[in-house]
Amino acid sequence: MTEIRTMSSMPKRTLPFSVNQYLCPLTMRPTDFLDRIESFGFQGAGITQGALQSLGASEMAAELQRRNLQVTSLNSAGFFLQEGEAALVQAERNLGLLKQSNQLGQSRLNVIVGGSSTLPLNLARELAAERLEAFARQASDFGVQLMVEPLHHLNVRTKSCFNSISQLEPLFERIPGLTLNADLFHLWWDPDLDRLLRGGSLPLGLLQICDVSMNDAEPVPRRVPLGEGCIPWIDHVRAVRMAFPSVSIELELFADQLPGRALEEILAGSASALKTLVEK
């Protein structure tokens, strides 16, 4: 288990890591969350649609600048396999995220391609690739970089029909300018993960980190704070810092998946664990 420190005991120094706003409790204002991550020494934030709906892109950009926090991701566009009215709504949402990403400046837009419960899998992948290709042209017009995030294959019919690094390789050959968002929760099992994180595969745009709990009592893997699971996340972070020194590393946990856990406790434990990776 990771040692937990109080906020007041944490050193006031910048950690070269960021925290995704999915960890912000629903009862907390986005600006208060930014205050928390700044106070623990994190240098950036992954921004969510919910936070932007609360503040707006221009105000969010100002709040980040006030705290000298970087934007490491904007989450998430895509979901290209919707049908009917839902597809029109999603297309408008995707366009809005491109505009907001441009307003935030230097932000990279995360893309989850979507899944289909009705289409054959090969057809779903081809259709998703075609629509991603068109979206990439739109993104280029806005000067926005797209990061494609493969999801665990348990999500193949619901959220993403691309589930592994090898499945994405032809997609990256087909569509120039894409980068990969490697979320350890979704890729811990992938046989190509080590090769990717050591620079021997696709271009990496972001590493999202967490720990993963797996045991006989739980039917599926569970995303947990650093040091509370069983994957070698420290090795993965070290590999990326060596092979991709300019790539952001972002802690991604979800407040609604950690009931009863105080935000300050999670941030303190995460900061303590990550601090050991950057100390000389």
Side-chain angles (χ1 to χ4, degrees):
M1 296 290 287
T2 302
E3 177 188 356
I4 303 300
R5 304 183 191 179
T6 64
M7 182 185 300
S8 61
S9 68
M10 285 302 300
K12 301 298 182 183
R13 62 187 301 274
T14 299
L15 291 166
F17 306 99
S18 65
V19 184
N20 197 292
Q21 278 191 307
Y22 286 128
L23 187 54
C24 180
L26 291 177
T27 55
M28 179 177 287
R29 295 182 303 178
T31 51
D32 291 338
F33 179 75
L34 296 180
D35 287 338
R36 299 298 195 282
I37 64 175
E38 179 196 19
S39 70
F40 280 102
F42 291 96
Q43 72 173 19
I47 308 302
T48 63
Q49 290 183 59
L52 286 180
Q53 288 171 358
S54 176
L55 289 182
S58 295
E59 185 176 352
M60 175 64 78
E63 294 291 348
L64 290 161
Q65 185 176 23
R66 188 173 296 121
R67 296 165 178 81
N68 196 29
L69 292 172
Q70 303 172 359
V71 178
T72 50
S73 68
L74 177 58
N75 304 271
S76 291
F79 303 99
F80 300 119
L81 300 181
Q82 306 270 17
E83 298 178 354
E85 182 66 23
L88 297 176
V89 171
Q90 185 63 52
E92 283 298 312
R93 183 177 294 120
N94 288 340
L95 180 59
L97 283 165
L98 285 178
K99 294 176 180 178
Q100 291 169 324
S101 187
N102 181 273
Q103 286 178 282
L104 286 172
Q106 302 301 317
S107 59
R108 287 154 291 183
L109 181 56
N110 195 52
V111 177
I112 297 171
V113 299
S116 172
S117 61
T118 58
L119 293 174
L121 192 52
N122 287 343
L123 180 58
R125 286 177 177 150
E126 178 56 32
L127 187 58
E130 290 176 3
R131 293 177 179 176
L132 175 61
E133 190 170 16
F135 188 58
R137 290 193 291 269
Q138 279 187 296
S140 179
D141 291 339
F142 282 92
V144 172
Q145 183 181 56
L146 300 183
M147 302 187 300
V148 180
E149 179 181 3
L151 301 191
H152 193 281
H153 49 267
L154 289 174
N155 300 277
V156 67
R157 289 293 188 182
T158 54
K159 293 183 178 179
S160 178
C161 55
F162 286 96
N163 314 108
S164 69
I165 295 165
S166 62
Q167 288 171 5
L168 284 177
E169 287 173 343
L171 194 63
F172 275 57
E173 293 174 3
R174 171 175 172 173
I175 306 173
L178 297 179
T179 60
L180 179 70
N181 174 9
D183 183 340
L184 293 185
F185 179 72
H186 292 293
L187 290 177
W188 60 266
W189 60 273
D190 196 306
D192 295 312
L193 179 61
D194 286 342
R195 180 167 61 92
L196 169 76
L197 300 185
R198 283 164 174 75
S201 182
L202 299 174
L204 187 66
L206 179 68
L207 176 68
Q208 289 184 320
I209 63 173
C210 64
D211 212 336
V212 180
S213 175
M214 294 172 279
N215 57 62
D216 292 341
E218 296 172 328
V220 294
R222 184 166 56 90
R223 191 186 296 262
V224 294
L226 303 177
E228 297 183 16
C230 59
I231 67 169
W233 65 268
I234 291 176
D235 294 340
H236 297 326
V237 170
R238 285 176 172 158
V240 168
R241 283 173 57 80
M242 182 173 294
F244 300 95
S246 64
V247 165
S248 296
I249 298 174
E250 181 183 285
L251 177 70
E252 185 175 65
L253 296 166
F254 291 76
D256 61 355
Q257 296 175 9
L258 297 166
R261 301 289 295 271
L263 174 63
E264 286 77 9
E265 171 208 353
I266 296 169
L267 290 176
S270 301
S272 295
L274 291 167
K275 179 189 172 188
T276 64
L277 301 182
V278 296
E279 289 181 328
K280 299 294 184 182

